[in-house]
Amino acid sequence: MADLTPTPARPGLHVSKPSPNAPATGCAVCHCGATATATGDSQVRALVEGYTANHGAAHGRTGR
């Protein structure tokens, strides 16, 4: 399986929750240079919401 971890060359958001009892983990890299990681279901949920609202497609590829 390919490594799905985002990098500056391949920005994006990756979330993993291997089982219902395991805590979620997440990482995000935006093309503007912002990076973030989170561990735990509520922290990962906040990471996804923040990335969706403020990075990725939210500000396009202009870096704003």
Side-chain angles (χ1 to χ4, degrees):
M1 176 182 261
D3 182 6
L4 300 176
T5 304
T7 66
R10 292 179 306 125
L13 178 66
H14 182 258
V15 174
S16 176
K17 185 165 174 79
S19 76
N21 298 325
T25 60
C27 60
V29 177
C30 185
H31 54 269
C32 73
T35 63
T37 60
T39 301
D41 295 1
S42 61
Q43 291 86 358
V44 170
R45 187 175 302 112
L47 171 71
V48 170
E49 290 170 357
Y51 183 83
T52 303
N54 301 302
H55 296 283
H59 64 79
R61 296 200 173 269
T62 62
R64 286 180 258 159

